Each structure stands twice: as C-alpha cells, then as structure tokens.
Amino acid sequence: MTVNLYNTGVSGLLASQQQLATTGNNIANVNTEGYTRQRAEQNATTGIYSGGNIIGSGTYIEDISRVYDQFSYKEQLLSQTSLSNADSLNVDLGQLDQVMTFSGGAINSSIESFYEAINSISDNPSDLGLRNMAISQAKILSDDLNAINDDLNQMVKSTNGEIVEIADHISDISVQIGNINEQILFSQHSVQGQPNDLLDARDNLVNELSQYTSVNTIVDSLGVMTVMIGDGATLVAGSTSLSVGVQAGDPDPNQTVLSIVGPNSAVYLNGSSVGGALAAKYEFRDEHVAEVQSEMNRIAMAISGTINDAQHSGLDLNNEEGQNFFTDINTPLLEQSRVFASSKNSGNSEATVTITDISKIPTDEFMVEYNGTNYIMTNLTDNSTLDLGTQGSINSNAMDTYGFQFNEESGTPQAGDVFIIKPAHNSAALMGVTLTQASGVAASSAIEVTASNTNKGGASVEITNVSSATDAQQYAIDNNLAVEIYETTSGSFEYRVYNSVTSADIIPAESYVPGSGTTVQIPPSPATAIFEIEVDGLPSGSSAAAPEIFSIADAFGTGNNGNSVALGLTQEQGILNGGKNSFTQGLSISTATVGSAAKSAELTESTAQALFTQAYNRNQSTSGVNLDEEAANLLKYQQAYQAASQIISTANTIFDTLLAAVR
C-alpha cells in the first residue's frame, strides 16, 4: 500500500513538473514570432486490482501537443496572401501614380508651350525667332515623352528584378520546408510525441511563403507536409524540394515567365494567378504599366503623325512642301519594332507593321498565327479574331478597324509560327525632332478658296485635306481650278469642278444634298487624290447661267498663316480613340485611370489589412500565449506539485512507521 502511494505521489510530482515546464516554456516564448502555445496532455495510469477493487495508481503525461486550429490557421494564410497582394499592388501603383502626376503634368505643359509657339507663328509667319522657338518647344515635348518612356521601362526592369528575388526566396523556403519534413519524419521513428518546435518552424515558413503566393498544404499520417502553390503546382513533396525559376519571355523578353523547376523538367507557372505579392508584380507589369506605356506610345505617335501630316499640307518659307517635324511614325525601325516573332517559329518569315490610321490605333496587343494556309490575328484583350489572308496575299482591308497593316517582308512561314503585335510600340522612345531649319516650318497654306464677288447665296467650298502641298499647288495652277454650285430645279442642287480658262470639266456636274457636307476628291478617281474639298450650302442661282463660283488657286506667301492656323487647331482636334479625344484629353484620361487604380488599391489594402488582423487575432486566441491564463496555470500546477510532494512525504512516514513496528 505504501509503495503504491509512493508511486502515485511520484507520478503526480513528475506530471506537475512537466506541466510547470510546459507552462514556463509558453511564458518564455510569449514574444516568439510564430510560436504555438503548447499543452501537456495528462492522463490517469491503469489502476491496480487489490482486494476486489481497482485502485488508482497515479498519472502520466501522454503527450505535449500544440494548441492548433487548422481552420483558423488556414484562414490566416489566405488573409496573408490577400494582404500581401494588395499591399504590393498599392505600393507599386502609388509609384506609378506619382510618375504619371509629375511626368504627365510635364508633358501637358510641353504640349501647351509647343502650341503657343505655333500660334505665335500664326501672328507673324515670317518671324524666324518664333519659328526657332517652335522647334525648341518641340524638342522639349519629345524629350518629355522619351523621359516618361524611360521611367516606365525602368519600372518594368525593376519589377522583373523583384520577381526574380521573390522566386529565389520561394525556392529557399522550399528547401527549408523539405529539410524540416525530413527531420519530422526522422523524429517520428526515433521518439514518441510531437516535434512541436519543428512544426512551428515549418508553419512559420509556410506563413512566410503565403506572402508571396497562395499556398495549399496536405499533411500525411507521418506529419510530412506537401506544399502546393498557385493553381495547385507542387512545390514541396516530402523531402523533395522544387524551385521556382524565371525565364525571359517569348517573344517579348521583358515579359518574364515563371516555372516550377525539378531535377529533370520544368513546368510553366502562371504568374498572374499564382497569388500573393508575386501575382501583384505580374498584374502591375502586364496590366497597369503596359497600359500606360501603350497609351504614352499612342499619344507620341498621334502627336508625331498629326503634326507631320499638317506640315505636308503647307508650304515653308522657301515655297516648298513642309517636311516632318517629328520622327516619321513609319520608319523601318519603328515598323520592325512593332512585331515580335516567337523564338519557337520554325519558319524564317519576317514581318513589319505599318500605321494607316492613327485615330483607330488601340492600346491592345495582337497575336498573329500562321495555320499553314492563312494568317489569323487574335486581339489578346477580347479574343476576337480576323482572317488576314494567305501567305503572299494578305488582305489589307481586314485590319482597317485597327488602323494598321501587317506586312510580310521576307522569308517563308511555317504552320504554328506566331507573331505578337504591339501597334504603338517604341513610338515614345524613338520620338525626336527632325526639323532643324526655322524656315522649314510650313506656315503658309498651299492653296486657297476665293468666293466670287457675284455670289449671293449660302453655298460654300472648303479645303478639308491636302496630302501633298506642292502637288496641290501645282495642280491648282495648271488647271485654273474653279467650282460652280447651283440649283437645277426646285430643291435639286449640283456642283461641277472645271478649268476657269478653258471651261473644260474636271469633274462634270454632280448632285449634292445641302447640309450633308459632300467631300470631293481632286483629281477625281481613279487618279490618286492630291487634296479634298467639301461642297455644301444653298446657292442662290437657279440655273447653270447663274451659279455661285469659287476659285481654287496658289496661296503661297511669306505672310500667309493658313497652315499654321490649321496646325494650331490640331491641339483641340479629336485624334485618339476614333477621333473622340485630343492629345491632352488622352493624357488626362490615362493619368486619371492610374490615379483611380492607385486609390482603389489603397482601399483594397486597407480592407485586406482589416481582414488579416481579424484572422490573425482569431488564430492567436487559440494558439497564442495568454499570460493571464499561463499565470493561473503556473499557480495551479505549483499547488499540484506541492500536493504531490505531500503524498510522497506521507508515504515515507507510513513506511518509516512500518519499519519501526518490526524492529
């Protein structure tokens, strides 16, 4: 009896000692990041049969386990992934917003200053100083667009560098988790009980991993964890650790891609859906920065193309057709840079893209694939497709909707060959001022319309487009151009274009509807139009004998400001998005879009932070150390320890009494 009582006391003493040690360990690690509260699981030992009864024989500590709720822990992981994604995007978009606010404002000021210089030329077309000022302001404008393109390129490079760093960090975590899995497996074979410190270390690594990517884990019966990231790609399987690699994009090397790399193979990993900070980097680079860069390129292209076209419509001080103010939007280098051929293409075909209509150019990217017979173009934004025709016979009209032309230059394509098209690519980077002489500013209009003094009614003739100033000038001189407008019968109207000296028809009488603004090409089809006029209004004449007459003649003069006025009007002209937006409107829309995205990211980050805090607190309420609770446990187990000591003391007294009785 005394021996049993002694054993019972010792078991209680040892159990209380382990309870005190566990509680003390919890208190010591109250500030240890990622520490999970531990609990000693105490059970009664099997009783002893004596005198027809089963008498209790004490207690023992069955296990020291972590107080762990897998559901609240997984909720914390998911919240951590969302928070890291939102936080990364918030920081990056904040930087992009600052760039757009500063650089966008500089570009807007440069546009204003350039047009102020052009408008000054309109006031005094022969002033070389004003013309030089316009060239200087054009240089500042092109420099500002070059600068913002450099800033955006640097953002892409920086983001790619961050992607590499994150991928390397994920690979390091993978190795560490694999090593811990191996240690846990060894400990299961060598000792009983849970390897709590190893489990905490592994959970801390998984928690860190969840900052960079979404994580799913499966733990087998031996405690070994399988870790999957993104859409389910395995990163760690037991002690086998895979790594995340980063490769140059194909065909665009700046669009780096991810893969899960094993000993003998690599599997593509979708960076945009991998979750966490890594997915935020891909979204920032491939959506937000790409959209802004495409818009800046499109604005640079629109400015260059519009000003250059206006130059060609007028005459400079030397009575010559105005030359390009800015870099031609269809230089061979620009045409080539808009097409990216995949390195996997088996053919040797080379292609270029020519801009045909600036107003139709989208910010979208396109993929052209040769299927063995035809080229099929896919809009990568909405996945719509166009059949461009066969090799050697591309249908140029098929791409009218988008304002560019895909050209085969050389070589032969093979089935499966792929090309990526970025219609406005490099326009901002390669924009420059090519006009060097002040006299080269085409301020004078080439031709002008003069109404006859005998005109009584409201008929009108306006020059709407000049494709070549010198050709238009010479054609008007050679053909003594004139236009007659009259009413043939009540409510029916006609016009004709003729030689005012010989009266020979250039365009015989044709009907028109007043108010419709009928466009007339001169010379008429099938010849290539040199310029266009618009016929409109209600003439007072009622027959061919009483028409309203307009002459079209050479307008050159050093004091003529007709073309500089027209050039100045392009500032407010709708050029972008199908003729809906001017340059500054397009710039403002882009800046506002980035600002809105940055504000939205800030709000999303705040929400994600609140959700993470809630999830973290829920998990800590179960797994975290509560000092008040541990202090109470410390007192309880101390008292139990003291009581167990009294049991041992009592057993000793009884044993001593028995020994004394038999002496």
Side-chain angles (χ1 to χ4, degrees):
M1 173 66 182
T2 303
V3 174
N4 289 341
L5 185 61
Y6 182 83
N7 288 337
T8 299
V10 170
S11 69
L13 188 72
L14 293 174
S16 297
Q17 186 180 47
Q18 292 186 59
Q19 291 279 18
L20 284 169
T22 302
T23 301
N25 188 53
N26 286 340
I27 294 172
N29 285 283
V30 65
N31 293 317
T32 300
E33 184 69 27
Y35 176 79
T36 302
R37 179 165 62 96
Q38 297 178 8
R39 179 173 60 200
E41 305 291 349
Q42 186 173 342
N43 281 329
T45 57
T46 304
I48 300 173
Y49 183 78
S50 176
N53 295 306
I54 297 176
I55 301 173
S57 60
T59 186
Y60 71 100
I61 299 299
E62 181 180 23
D63 190 15
I64 297 178
S65 61
R66 298 188 304 159
V67 183
Y68 176 78
D69 183 347
Q70 63 173 329
F71 298 106
S72 63
Y73 175 70
K74 285 186 179 292
E75 180 187 15
Q76 180 181 320
L77 285 183
L78 291 172
S79 299
Q80 178 66 72
T81 301
S82 298
L83 174 59
S84 297
N85 180 277
D87 184 62
S88 176
L89 201 56
N90 180 38
V91 171
D92 289 340
L93 281 173
Q95 294 176 347
L96 181 61
D97 186 33
Q98 290 178 355
V99 168
M100 285 302 296
T101 300
F102 177 77
S103 298
I107 293 171
N108 189 64
S109 296
S110 297
I111 292 174
E112 292 287 343
S113 297
F114 172 72
Y115 275 102
E116 286 177 4
I118 293 298
N119 291 330
S120 295
I121 295 175
S122 298
D123 295 334
N124 191 357
S126 61
D127 191 322
L128 291 177
L130 296 176
R131 289 164 171 263
N132 275 316
M133 181 65 70
I135 294 175
S136 297
Q137 292 299 333
K139 182 67 168 62
I140 294 173
L141 174 56
S142 66
D143 286 346
D144 285 343
L145 283 162
N146 296 158
I148 195 172
N149 182 77
D150 291 341
D151 289 341
L152 295 172
N153 279 339
Q154 187 57 46
M155 280 190 167
V156 171
K157 292 178 181 178
S158 176
T159 302
N160 283 338
E162 291 178 285
I163 289 173
V164 171
E165 289 181 3
I166 292 174
D168 290 343
H169 205 159
I170 291 174
S171 299
D172 290 340
I173 292 174
S174 173
V175 172
Q176 294 179 62
I177 293 175
N179 291 337
I180 291 177
N181 273 342
E182 189 172 3
Q183 295 176 54
I184 289 174
L185 186 61
F186 175 77
S187 69
Q188 296 286 18
H189 291 297
S190 58
V191 297
Q192 293 183 344
Q194 296 185 36
N196 294 321
D197 292 336
L198 288 175
L199 295 176
D200 279 351
R202 188 174 67 185
D203 282 351
N204 285 339
L205 288 170
V206 172
N207 189 59
E208 185 179 1
L209 182 62
S210 71
Q211 298 176 31
Y212 307 118
T213 174
S214 57
V215 182
N216 284 307
T217 60
I218 299 174
V219 179
D220 64 18
S221 59
L222 296 176
V224 175
M225 178 182 285
T226 297
V227 179
M228 295 163 288
I229 63 174
D231 294 326
T234 300
L235 181 67
V236 182
S239 60
T240 302
S241 303
L242 305 180
S243 62
V244 175
V246 182
Q247 293 82 37
D250 186 14
D252 185 352
N254 285 325
Q255 290 184 320
T256 55
V257 295
L258 299 174
S259 61
I260 295 287
V261 182
N264 302 312
S265 63
V267 179
Y268 171 73
L269 184 64
N270 189 347
S272 62
S273 63
V274 75
L278 195 53
K281 296 300 177 186
Y282 274 91
E283 178 183 341
F284 177 68
R285 186 194 71 184
D286 296 341
E287 295 181 26
H288 300 286
V289 176
E291 180 68 23
V292 172
Q293 196 160 29
S294 181
E295 186 61 38
M296 292 304 101
N297 279 326
R298 192 169 66 153
I299 289 173
M301 174 190 290
I303 292 173
S304 298
T306 301
I307 299 301
N308 288 348
D309 287 345
Q311 273 281 106
H312 288 289
S313 296
L315 300 171
D316 63 18
L317 280 179
N318 300 315
N319 194 21
E320 294 178 353
E321 182 175 316
Q323 300 304 302
N324 286 342
F325 216 120
F326 297 100
T327 304
D328 191 336
I329 63 173
N330 284 319
T331 63
L333 181 59
L334 277 169
E335 289 184 329
Q336 292 168 9
S337 70
R338 294 166 185 152
V339 181
F340 296 80
S342 172
S343 63
K344 299 176 183 177
N345 288 355
S346 56
N348 61 353
S349 179
E350 294 184 1
T352 60
V353 163
T354 302
I355 304 302
T356 57
D357 190 338
I358 295 171
S359 67
K360 297 178 181 178
I361 297 296
T363 57
D364 304 335
E365 294 182 8
F366 300 83
M367 180 181 72
V368 174
E369 182 174 6
Y370 184 67
N371 62 13
T373 305
N374 287 29
Y375 286 101
I376 305 299
M377 186 172 76
T378 303
N379 185 322
L380 296 179
T381 299
D382 60 19
N383 292 320
S384 59
T385 60
L386 282 174
D387 187 338
L388 303 185
T390 62
Q391 180 207 353
S393 184
I394 292 179
N395 180 6
S396 59
N397 295 325
M399 290 167 279
D400 281 349
T401 304
Y402 298 117
F404 64 83
Q405 173 66 47
F406 177 76
N407 312 305
E408 292 179 293
E409 294 295 337
S410 63
T412 303
Q414 297 295 323
D417 283 1
V418 170
F419 304 87
I420 297 298
I421 295 176
K422 299 182 179 183
H425 187 65
N426 268 344
S427 293
L430 299 180
M431 182 181 182
V433 176
T434 57
L435 189 66
T436 58
Q437 298 297 321
S439 60
V441 177
S444 175
S445 52
I447 52 177
E448 62 184 357
V449 176
T450 304
S452 171
N453 293 331
T454 61
N455 292 355
K456 304 292 186 181
S460 66
V461 174
E462 292 184 5
I463 298 169
T464 55
N465 182 51
V466 177
S467 59
S468 172
T470 52
D471 289 345
Q473 179 189 44
Q474 194 61 49
Y475 190 88
I477 294 172
D478 292 343
N479 291 277
N480 302 298
L481 287 179
V483 180
E484 286 185 347
I485 305 177
Y486 49 87
E487 185 176 17
T488 55
T489 59
S490 180
S492 296
F493 302 91
E494 289 184 351
Y495 70 89
R496 78 179 183 109
V497 181
Y498 65 100
N499 187 312
S500 61
V501 175
T502 65
S503 295
D505 284 340
I506 295 173
I507 299 178
E510 293 187 8
S511 61
Y512 78 98
V513 178
S516 64
T518 301
T519 298
V520 182
Q521 292 186 347
I522 299 177
S525 181
T528 301
I530 299 173
F531 65 96
E532 294 177 351
I533 62 173
E534 184 180 83
V535 175
D536 207 350
L538 293 169
S540 61
S542 59
S543 69
E548 294 191 5
I549 300 173
F550 301 84
S551 61
I552 301 176
D554 174 19
F556 172 73
T558 57
N560 185 317
N561 68 352
N563 199 58
S564 61
V565 170
L567 199 156
L569 291 175
T570 60
Q571 180 179 10
E572 303 300 329
Q573 183 180 344
I575 304 294
L576 303 169
N577 300 317
K580 297 177 182 177
N581 303 121
S582 65
F583 312 134
T584 52
Q585 287 173 336
L587 183 61
S588 297
I589 291 171
S590 185
T591 303
T593 300
V594 172
S596 177
K599 186 62 178 178
S600 177
E602 182 181 350
L603 295 174
T604 301
E605 192 272 341
S606 298
T607 302
Q609 180 64 65
L611 292 174
F612 171 74
T613 300
Q614 292 175 8
Y616 177 81
N617 289 339
R618 274 194 291 270
N619 187 48
Q620 286 298 301
S621 67
T622 301
S623 301
V625 176
N626 185 313
L627 288 177
D628 292 336
E629 181 182 351
E630 298 302 329
N633 287 338
L634 196 63
L635 181 61
K636 179 175 70 172
Y637 298 137
Q638 181 185 4
Q639 292 173 343
Y641 185 90
Q642 292 171 343
S645 299
Q646 289 298 319
I647 295 174
I648 296 172
S649 178
T650 300
N652 282 334
T653 300
I654 294 173
F655 190 70
D656 289 343
T657 301
L658 290 174
L659 289 176
V662 298
R663 285 175 182 170

